[in-house]
Each structure stands twice: as structure tokens, then as C-alpha cells.
């Protein structure tokens, strides 16, 4: 008895079958797998196209037609494909998600295509409450037509029909709209969706009498001339993306089965903005948001292409990230790079037009690509003291290409340097200083140097020796006032005359200022540590322009206090003109100098303006 019980307890339990809640599955599809109910039409088209492809693999001369008829709250889709037997219906429709492995079965023929027939029809429940499929097999001509009818509650029926119900091989799918989804099955919406998804399909697809396909694709057509081709592609871009491109780039990768075109955006976009590209897979639109199709640096183009090598994700609305996609992405990037280098060699005017809009993207690319750096760097525009120029043109004008690392440094020296004939490039913008420093590597013999305060000061004229003794007291008072701020005062003669004072410093001076400020605010321990870090970097300088009338009047004053207040005002004004951030000490100085000048002006008015009582008595 115990033995029998033991044997009984070890007997295998019968297997159980998963029960699918179709309503829950439809909800999952509509809210999580697919981005929009519109994909139902893509699935219907895909099933029809794959069925025709399967039939033509066996009958090359078989008809290739897909017809869609919308109206009265329903949709009918007819195809001349390979059709289904009753066994096929049970394999492909009744068992969702299972792949048949029969060597001669339809599933085997479909292995090169986009999807599963059953899953494709299941997606139709997003907009339909009932699906009816009537099909007749071309592979088994004697088999009777079969009808499969399914409802969104998960129930379905299968029955065979008389031969006269379906004389010709093929399949017809009937959809009945679910409540609230009727708008998706109207003829205008069906036509728009069919053209969007199926314009590149290789077969005759129509909605009613309206043609859906538009072949060959614009990039595969022959044109009388390159100019005609550019015009036609520009028209296609405007229809597809809503803009007229600066140019178009051919994307032809026969080995990878990729053919298409990249359109260059006519306006600048942020490099961080991810581009949305249109990807067709074997003629069927897969996605309008193929972000991973091109390298990140190629943000200045929008692509449309057809491929037969890339894998779709489960929803068939994006691309699967694998080695094939990585290789295609690199190859497409190479095509765009070749287009840029071709412009540099053969069409500099079009290149200039492109760079005026998208120089930031090319600069980003040039930093990491030696070939692109060598080809494009001389053409890239930069802000300079001679205006907006390419580095090639700027280097031809100046024996030394000076540059600043920050916009603030450039602003404080640009007017003075320009007047003195010093060529300066503003390297404060993204990538610019790094690229200017790379110029000698692509233009041998070019001298590039960072502009510092000593260079600027050296180009300014000194004051005549005969005038120096009379200015000694003025300079002593001015230096005494600015010494606590870590700033020296020098007197030079320079143009333009309208600039009374110029504030010059470099990164070393700014670091020393920051260290000194931190030292004054630290406790004894940290003050000692910071004091030990005191460097020998040059201090900032306030360069006063001896040619400026205001400086001449101030230098003739005999009151050291008034000279000091005026010097503080000139210092503050020079900082503001350079658009430099003000330290708390600088702000306090500006306020003090402003109040001091007001007090001096009002004191002078009462002393020298209105007559006193005694003066009135004379």
C-alpha cells in the first residue's frame, strides 16, 4: 500500500495550458506595446504584403494586389497572397505567439518578413471588436476556403466554406469597429495611414481607387540633371518633413541593404536635440523617430531610408540595437562625412552656406575626427577682431593667431587689440579655443598663441619721457588706491581715444585674486595654508589711456583723494565694459566711488555755485 502510494505520489501531473485574457492582452498592446492605434493598419498591410511575397516565391507571375475598402463602421482588406488552409488558420491565428516549424509551411516562408501573422491580427483588436478572415490557399488549390471569426472577448470560430465563396486564392480581412474607434476606419483616415506606412511597398496597393504606393522612391529615380535631382529631393523633403533642405546627401549602402537620403536642416538646432529619422523596412514604414540611426554629431540632418537588414523591436516601431545597426550607423556617418569633404574640395560656396548655419556641429565632429579636422578646420567661421572669418583667411592676415579662452577676455581686449593691429580670435565659445590650438597641425607654419595681458600692454605706446615727471604723483595716488584690490595701474597711449581705461588680467591673476579673497575670509589655520599657496602670477592691470581727454584732466588734479576716487570709478567702469563678473569688493568699490564723486560734485557746487550771504552784500 505504501509502495503504491509512493508510486502514485511520484507520477507526473498532467501539463496545464496558459489561458490568455484577450481583453487584457489588447489593453497591454494598445497602452504599452504600440504608441498609437494607427499601427493596426500597418499590421494589416504587412500581413497582405508578406502573403503576396510568399506566393510569388512559388509563383513568380502571381498577381500582387492589395485593396482596402473603408466605410459603414468597418474595413475590408483583400490581397492576392498565398492564402491559408484550415491547418494554417489554427497554426497562425488561433495560437497567438507560436511559430510553426513545418518545413513547407507558410511560417517558414515568412521567416524573412517582418512579423507574426497572429500577432499582427491581434493588434487589430485595438480598433476592432470583431475580426473575420476569409482565405483560400494557393499552395493547396483543392483545399476549401476557410473562415476564422474572432471577438475581442477571446472567442473564435473556424469553418470551411463552399468553393464559390472564394474562387481565387488570397485572403480578405473584415474589421468591425469597436465603440469609440470608428474614426480609425473611415476612408480618409485609412488612405492617409496607408500612404504613410506603405508608399514604398513593392506591390499595387489601393484604398478604393486611390493609389497608395509611389515608386520608385524619390532617391531611386532618374533625373535629367543633378540640379533637377536636387529640386525633386527638396520637394520630397518639404512634403515629408515640412522644410526645404540646404542640401541632400545620398545614403547608399548596398552591402547593408540600405538606400535613402539625408536632408540638411536649413536652420541651426541644438546638438543635444535627438533627430527623428524615417526608417522603412522592406518598404514598410517602421518608425518616424529612428533616433539611433546616425551618429550623435550628425544632428544637422533628417534621414529617410529603406533597409532590409536592420531588425525591428517587438513593437516594430523602432530599431533593435545590435552589431548590424552599429555598423550601419558608422557607415551612414561616413557618407555624411564624405559629403562635407566633397563640398570643401569642389563647392566652397555651398560649404560656406552650410557652415553659417551648422558650424557648431562640424566643430563638434572635428574635435574627434582627424580627417574632418584637417579638411574642415580652415573653413570654419570664428569671431575675430577682423569680423567673422574662417581661420584660413584670418591666418593669412596675421603672422600670429592670438586667441582668448573666455568670452570675457575677448570683450575686454578686442577693441584695443583691433586698433593696435593685433589679430585675436574669440576662443570662449564651445570647442573654439581647442580648435584654434589645433590649427598648426593642419596648417603647418601657423603660429598660435594665447593672448595675455603682457602681449596687449607691449603693443600699446608708452607715454613720452618728458611727460613722466609730471604724472608721477598722479600714478602714485592711483596705484595706492587700487593696490588693496590686487591691481596695478599703468599709463599708456592707445586708440581708440574714446576708451579711457582698460582692465587686463589673465587666468593666473584671477586665480591669485580668488586665493587672496579666500584668505581674508578664512580662519587662522586656512589663512596660513592659503597664504603658503601665494604665487608669483602677474597682477591685474588697469591701463589708463593718456590720449583720452578725461584721463588728461584727472592726471592734472592735485588732490590725491579725488584722484583715488576717480581711479576707482575708472576701474569699475573698465570691469563693466569687459562684462566681467564683479566680486563683492568690486561692487563695494563702485558704490563708494559713485558716492564719493557725488559728494565732491555737490561740495563743489555749494563752494563755487550759488553766492553766499557775504558775497551778496558786496
Amino acid at each position: 500500500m505504501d509502495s503504491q502510494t509512493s508510486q502514485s505520489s511520484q507520477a507526473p501531473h498532467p501539463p496545464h495550458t496558459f489561458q490568455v485574457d484577450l481583453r487584457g492582452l489588447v489593453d497591454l498592446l494598445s497602452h504599452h506595446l504600440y504608441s498609437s492605434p494607427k499601427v493596426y493598419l500597418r499590421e494589416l498591410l504587412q500581413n497582405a504584403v508578406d502573403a503576396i511575397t510568399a506566393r510569388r516565391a512559388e509563383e513568380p507571375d502571381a498577381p500582387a494586389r492589395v485593396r482596402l475598402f473603408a466605410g459603414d463602421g468597418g474595413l475590408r482588406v483583400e490581397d492576392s497572397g498565398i492564402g491559408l488552409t484550415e491547418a494554417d488558420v489554427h497554426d497562425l491565428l488561433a495560437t497567438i505567439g507560436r511559430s510553426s516549424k513545418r518545413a513547407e509551411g507558410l511560417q517558414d516562408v515568412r521567416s524573412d518578413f517582418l512579423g507574426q501573422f497572429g500577432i499582427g491580427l491581434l493588434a487589430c483588436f485595438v480598433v476592432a471588436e470583431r475580426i473575420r478572415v476569409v482565405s483560400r490557399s494557393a499552395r493547396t488549390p483543392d483545399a476549401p476556403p476557410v473562415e476564422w471569426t474572432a471577438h475581442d472577448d477571446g472567442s473564435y470560430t473556424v469553418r470551411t466554406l463552399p468553393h464559390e465563396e472564394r474562387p481565387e486564392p488570397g485572403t480578405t480581412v473584415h474589421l468591425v469597429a469597436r465603440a469609440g474607434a470608428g474614426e480609425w476606419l473611415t476612408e480618409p483616415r485609412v488612405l492617409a495611414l496607408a500612404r504613410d506606412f506603405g508608399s514604398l511597398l513593392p506591390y499595387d496597393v489601393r484604398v478604393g481607387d486611390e493609389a497608395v504606393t509611389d515608386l520608385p522612391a524619390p532617391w531611386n529615380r532618374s533625373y535629367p540633371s543633378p540640379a533637377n535631382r536636387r529640386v525633386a529631393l527638396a520637394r520630397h523633403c518639404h512634403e515629408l518633413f515640412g522644410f526645404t533642405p540646404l542640401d541632400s546627401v545620398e545614403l547608399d549602402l548596398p552591402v547593408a541593404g540600405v538606400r535613402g537620403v539625408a536632408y540638411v536642416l536649413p536652420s541651426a538646432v541644438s546638438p543635444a536635440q535627438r533627430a527623428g529619422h524615417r526608417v522603412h523596412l522592406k518598404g514598410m514604414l517602421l518608425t518616424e523617430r529612428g533616433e539611433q540611426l546616425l551618429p550623435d554629431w550628425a544632428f544637422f540632418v533628417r534621414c529617410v531610408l529603406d533597409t532590409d537588414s536592420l531588425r525591428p523591436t517587438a513593437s516594430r516601431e523602432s530599431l533593435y540595437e545590435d552589431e548590424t545597426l552599429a555598423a550601419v550607423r558608422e557607415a551612414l556617418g561616413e557618407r555624411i562625412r564624405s559629403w562635407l569633404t566633397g563640398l570643401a574640395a569642389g563647392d566652397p560656396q555651398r560649404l560656406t552656406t552650410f557652415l553659417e548655419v551648422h558650424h557648431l556641429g562640424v566643430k563638434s565632429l572635428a574635435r574627434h575626427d582627424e580627417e574632418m579636422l584637417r579638411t574642415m578646420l580652415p573653413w570654419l567661421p570664428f569671431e575675430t577682431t577682423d569680423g567673422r572669418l574662417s581661420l584660413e583667411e584670418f591666418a593669412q592676415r596675421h603672422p600670429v593667431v592670438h586667441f582668448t579662452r573666455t568670452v570675457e577676455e575677448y570683450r575686454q581686449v578686442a577693441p584695443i587689440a583691433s586698433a593696435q593691429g593685433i589679430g585675436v580670435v574669440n576662443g570662449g565659445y564651445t570647442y573654439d579655443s581647442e580648435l584654434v590650438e589645433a590649427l598648426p597641425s593642419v596648417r603647418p607654419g601657423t603660429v598660435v598663441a594665447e593672448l595675455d595681458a603682457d602681449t596687449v600692454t607691449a603693443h600699446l605706446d608708452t607715454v613720452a619721457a618728458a611727460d613722466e615727471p609730471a604724472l608721477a604723483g598722479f600714478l602714485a595716488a592711483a596705484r595706492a588706491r587700487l593696490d588693496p584690490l590686487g591691481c596695478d595701474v599703468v599709463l599708456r597711449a592707445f586708440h581708440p581715444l574714446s576708451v579711457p581705461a582698460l582692465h587686463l588680467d589673465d587666468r593666473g591673476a584671477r586665480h591669485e585674486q580668488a586665493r587672496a579673497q579666500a584668505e581674508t575670509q578664512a580662519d587662522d589655520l586656512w589663512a596660513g595654508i592659503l597664504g603658503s599657496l601665494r604665487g608669483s602670477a602677474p597682477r591685474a592691470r588697469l591701463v589708463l589711456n593718456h590720449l583720452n581727454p578725461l584721463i588728461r584732466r584727472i592726471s592734472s588734479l592735485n588732490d590725491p583723494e579725488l584722484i583715488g576716487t576717480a581711479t576707482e570709478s575708472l576701474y569699475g567702469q573698465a570691469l563693466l565694459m569687459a562684462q566681467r563678473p564683479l566680486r563683492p569688493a568690486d561692487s563695494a568699490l563702485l558704490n563708494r566711488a559713485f558716492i564719493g564723486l557725488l559728494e565732491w560734485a555737490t561740495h563743489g557746487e555749494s563752494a563755487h555755485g550759488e553766492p553766499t550771504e557775504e558775497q551778496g552784500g558786496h
Side-chain angles (χ1 to χ4, degrees):
M1 182 72 177
D2 291 341
S3 174
Q4 292 177 351
T5 304
S6 174
Q7 291 176 357
S8 174
S9 65
Q10 295 176 2
H13 294 287
H16 298 281
T17 302
F18 283 106
Q19 300 299 312
V20 176
D21 178 2
L22 193 56
R23 290 186 186 273
L25 192 54
V26 168
D27 180 72
L28 178 67
L29 288 173
S30 60
H31 291 97
H32 300 284
L33 184 62
Y34 296 124
S35 63
S36 166
K38 69 180 183 180
V39 297
Y40 88 91
L41 193 68
R42 182 194 64 197
E43 299 297 343
L44 287 174
L45 286 176
Q46 191 62 56
N47 285 336
V49 168
D50 286 353
I52 293 172
T53 302
R55 184 176 180 184
R56 283 204 154 186
E58 300 180 8
E59 304 175 47
D61 296 330
R65 297 186 307 269
V66 181
R67 297 291 183 266
L68 297 91
F69 303 94
D72 299 327
L75 175 66
R76 185 173 86 254
V77 182
E78 300 178 355
D79 70 65
S80 59
I82 197 161
L84 302 171
T85 64
E86 185 175 359
D88 292 330
V89 166
H90 287 287
D91 260 341
L92 299 176
L93 302 182
T95 307
I96 300 300
R98 192 183 78 183
S99 297
S100 171
K101 299 300 181 185
R102 292 179 296 135
E104 298 299 323
L106 177 62
Q107 190 67 36
D108 185 68
V109 178
R110 290 172 52 83
S111 63
D112 289 336
F113 305 143
L114 252 147
Q116 304 278 344
F117 196 85
I119 290 293
L121 275 181
L122 186 62
C124 294
F125 278 121
V126 173
V127 298
E129 66 176 19
R130 180 161 55 92
I131 302 174
R132 177 172 170 258
V133 178
V134 177
S135 187
R136 182 167 184 170
S137 174
R139 182 180 292 115
T140 312
D142 295 336
V146 62
E147 177 192 71
W148 177 83
T149 304
H151 297 78
D152 61 1
D153 61 1
S155 63
Y156 69 91
T157 60
V158 179
R159 67 184 180 120
T160 58
L161 302 176
H163 285 279
E164 58 269 18
E165 289 281 336
R166 178 89 196 190
E168 299 294 330
T171 300
T172 301
V173 179
H174 303 260
L175 302 185
V176 176
R178 66 189 306 141
E183 192 268 339
W184 290 101
L185 303 184
T186 61
E187 183 169 347
R189 176 59 69 91
V190 169
L191 178 60
L193 292 178
R195 283 177 171 166
D196 195 38
F197 284 120
S199 63
L200 300 184
L201 290 175
Y203 304 132
D204 179 16
V205 182
R206 296 176 183 271
V207 176
D209 296 327
E210 296 287 337
V212 168
T213 52
D214 184 21
L215 294 176
W219 53 85
N220 285 332
R221 297 173 188 171
S222 298
Y223 298 94
S225 68
N228 289 100
R229 182 179 184 83
R230 278 198 299 270
V231 170
L233 290 179
R235 186 185 308 114
H236 174 250
C237 176
H238 193 274
E239 294 171 354
L240 203 61
F241 294 116
F243 65 85
T244 300
L246 286 178
D247 206 347
S248 56
V249 185
E250 300 288 336
L251 302 178
D252 186 9
L253 305 175
V255 175
V258 174
R259 187 81 171 89
V261 62
Y263 293 116
V264 182
L265 290 165
S267 57
V269 294
S270 167
Q273 180 177 331
R274 298 304 298 267
H277 308 294
R278 288 178 64 93
V279 182
H280 295 256
L281 186 53
K282 302 181 181 74
M284 183 70 71
L285 178 66
L286 182 71
T287 179
E288 300 173 280
R289 302 184 301 275
E291 295 180 351
Q292 69 271 53
L293 189 63
L294 291 180
D296 290 341
W297 56 260
F299 60 87
F300 47 82
V301 298
R302 294 289 182 271
C303 290
V304 54
L305 55 79
D306 189 24
T307 175
D308 56 18
S309 64
L310 301 178
R311 291 174 54 195
T313 58
S315 67
R316 300 200 283 280
E317 293 187 286
S318 59
L319 296 170
Y320 187 80
E321 186 69 51
D322 57 10
E323 292 181 359
T324 302
L325 178 57
V328 168
R329 179 166 51 238
E330 182 178 350
L332 292 177
E334 180 61 35
R335 287 287 185 274
I336 297 174
R337 183 186 291 111
S338 298
W339 167 76
L340 284 171
T341 55
L343 287 186
D347 199 339
Q349 183 57 48
R350 284 170 67 199
L351 177 63
T352 300
T353 302
F354 166 75
L355 290 178
E356 287 176 353
V357 178
H358 296 296
H359 58 275
L360 189 59
V362 177
K363 287 179 179 179
S364 174
L365 171 61
R367 293 168 57 244
H368 305 291
D369 189 305
E370 290 186 7
E371 181 182 349
M372 185 59 64
L373 181 72
R374 183 169 55 256
T375 304
M376 300 302 298
L377 183 57
W379 296 93
L380 288 172
F382 288 79
E383 182 181 354
T384 78
T385 48
D386 293 352
R388 193 164 184 81
L389 297 175
S390 68
L391 286 184
E392 175 68 27
E393 186 175 357
F394 187 80
Q396 290 175 358
R397 298 183 181 186
H398 300 279
V400 178
V401 178
H402 290 99
F403 72 97
T404 63
R405 292 193 182 275
T406 68
V407 175
E408 290 80 9
E409 291 176 17
Y410 178 80
R411 286 172 177 163
Q412 71 181 4
V413 302
I416 310 304
S418 179
Q420 311 308 312
I422 307 174
V424 184
V425 177
N426 184 356
Y429 295 115
T430 306
Y431 315 132
D432 282 10
S433 61
E434 184 179 348
L435 291 172
V436 174
E437 288 183 293
L439 185 59
S441 68
V442 301
R443 194 179 189 274
T446 304
V447 180
V448 173
E450 182 177 355
L451 187 69
D452 56 24
D454 288 334
T455 302
V456 178
T457 306
H459 280 78
L460 304 180
D461 295 333
T462 57
V463 178
D467 296 332
E468 289 183 358
L471 298 170
F474 161 68
L475 287 175
R479 287 167 179 161
R481 184 60 64 95
L482 295 188
D483 184 68
L485 295 173
C487 182
D488 291 332
V489 178
V490 295
L491 196 62
R492 292 289 187 273
F494 57 86
H495 293 274
L497 301 180
S498 57
V499 178
L502 174 66
H503 181 269
L504 294 177
D505 63 1
D506 52 26
R507 283 177 295 166
R510 288 195 293 277
H511 291 163
E512 176 62 20
Q513 283 183 339
R515 186 209 59 78
Q517 183 177 358
E519 181 180 357
T520 62
Q521 299 173 354
D523 56 30
D524 292 342
L525 174 61
W526 281 109
I529 295 174
L530 291 170
S532 68
L533 298 177
R534 183 181 295 112
S536 58
R539 307 206 316 165
R541 296 171 213 176
L542 181 66
V543 183
L544 302 179
N545 187 1
H546 188 54
L547 301 181
N548 180 268
L550 176 61
I551 297 300
R552 285 183 173 273
R553 288 196 297 271
I554 295 174
S555 65
S556 65
L557 296 174
N558 294 320
D559 185 346
E561 187 65 26
L562 182 55
I563 291 174
T565 300
T567 302
E568 287 180 335
S569 299
L570 291 168
Y571 173 83
Q573 189 260 356
L575 287 180
L576 293 175
M577 290 298 294
Q579 300 184 33
R580 292 289 304 279
L582 299 181
R583 299 171 297 165
D586 297 329
S587 299
L589 174 144
L590 274 172
N591 184 62
R592 182 173 65 248
F594 178 70
I595 297 299
L597 289 176
L598 284 179
E599 290 178 347
W600 179 81
T602 55
H603 172 75
E605 181 67 24
S606 63
H608 305 290
E610 299 178 2
T612 62
E613 272 188 38
E614 293 180 0
Q615 291 171 331
H618 285 295

